[in-house]
């Protein structure tokens, strides 16, 4: 696995990864109606691209194993200048291989902030707790008229600075 900066040409593959990950990995914790509201397959690509370019956005790629074949995106994550981890998704076929941890490590090490925050899904909550994040509150977020539960989570930076 290699971690590199986001490139605009990654966008379509990232959009597919997002949709597929939500609909498979998160399916144990959310209803089909909630999954469809969260990821309906119609991402505003221009908005996502602008957001990725404004944030620090990293992409984890796996070598294809074939010459002349493109690398496969195994995961992506982005953090804004305030330390808010906006998106963190790992391809359904690359779960539990340290990709999310590696992406978070890189983003957290690069950020010059006092605290990190994220809005973690039910599925991701335990991952963030293992990283030292604490749930500040549970909340209901409305997407297309459907309520989804997630958690506002925070982590102080003193634990990663030396």
């Amino acid at each position: 696995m290699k971690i590199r900066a986001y490139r605009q040409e990654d966008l379509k593959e990232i959009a597919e990864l997002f949709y597929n990950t939500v609909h498979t990995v998160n399916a144990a914790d959310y209803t089909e109606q909630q999954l469809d509201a969260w990821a309906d397959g119609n991402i505003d690509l221009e908005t996502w691209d602008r957001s990725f370019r404004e944030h620090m956005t990293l992409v984890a790629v796996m070598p294809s194993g074939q010459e002349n074949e493109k690398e496969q995106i195994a995961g992506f994550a982005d953090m804004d200048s305030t330390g808010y981890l906006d998106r963190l998704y790992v391809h359904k076929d690359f779960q539990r291989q340290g990709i999310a941890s590696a992406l978070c490590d890189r983003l957290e090490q690069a950020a010059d902030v006092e605290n990190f925050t994220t809005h973690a899904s039910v599925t991701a909550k335990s991952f963030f707790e293992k990283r030292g994040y604490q749930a500040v509150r549970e909340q209901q977020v409305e997407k297309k008229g459907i309520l989804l539960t997630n958690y506002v989570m925070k982590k102080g930076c003193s634990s990663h600075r030396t």
Side-chain angles (χ1 to χ4, degrees), residues 30-98:
Y30 294 91
T31 67
E32 191 171 334
Q33 189 179 33
Q34 289 172 316
L35 298 172
D36 288 339
W38 182 355
D40 66 0
N42 294 310
I43 289 173
D44 181 339
L45 295 176
E46 190 175 305
T47 300
W48 271 42
D49 178 56
R50 186 177 334 107
S51 172
F52 285 151
R53 287 184 285 117
E54 289 170 356
H55 296 174
M56 179 175 183
T57 305
L58 299 175
V59 177
V61 293
M62 299 300 235
S64 68
Q66 303 291 322
E67 205 164 322
N68 299 329
E69 255 191 59
K70 203 173 107 166
E71 305 167 314
Q72 180 178 1
I73 295 177
F76 69 96
D78 65 305
M79 183 178 281
D80 72 14
S81 61
T82 70
Y84 174 67
L85 180 64
D86 192 359
R87 288 161 285 217
L88 171 64
Y89 291 91
V90 174
H91 191 287
K92 64 183 178 62
D93 296 338
F94 295 103
Q95 295 287 308
R96 304 202 187 307
Q97 296 182 28

Side-chain angles (χ1 to χ4, degrees), residues 56 79 102 104-112 116 160-161:
M56 179 175 183
M79 183 178 281
C104 282
D105 287 347
R106 290 276 294 273
L107 289 172
E108 289 176 1
Q109 288 164 3
D112 185 19
F116 298 114
H160 85 280
R161 300 266 185 227

Side-chain angles (χ1 to χ4, degrees), residues 116-129:
F116 298 114
T117 58
T118 194
H119 293 178
S121 67
V122 172
T123 313
K125 183 178 182 239
S126 64
F127 167 81
F128 285 106
E129 287 173 334

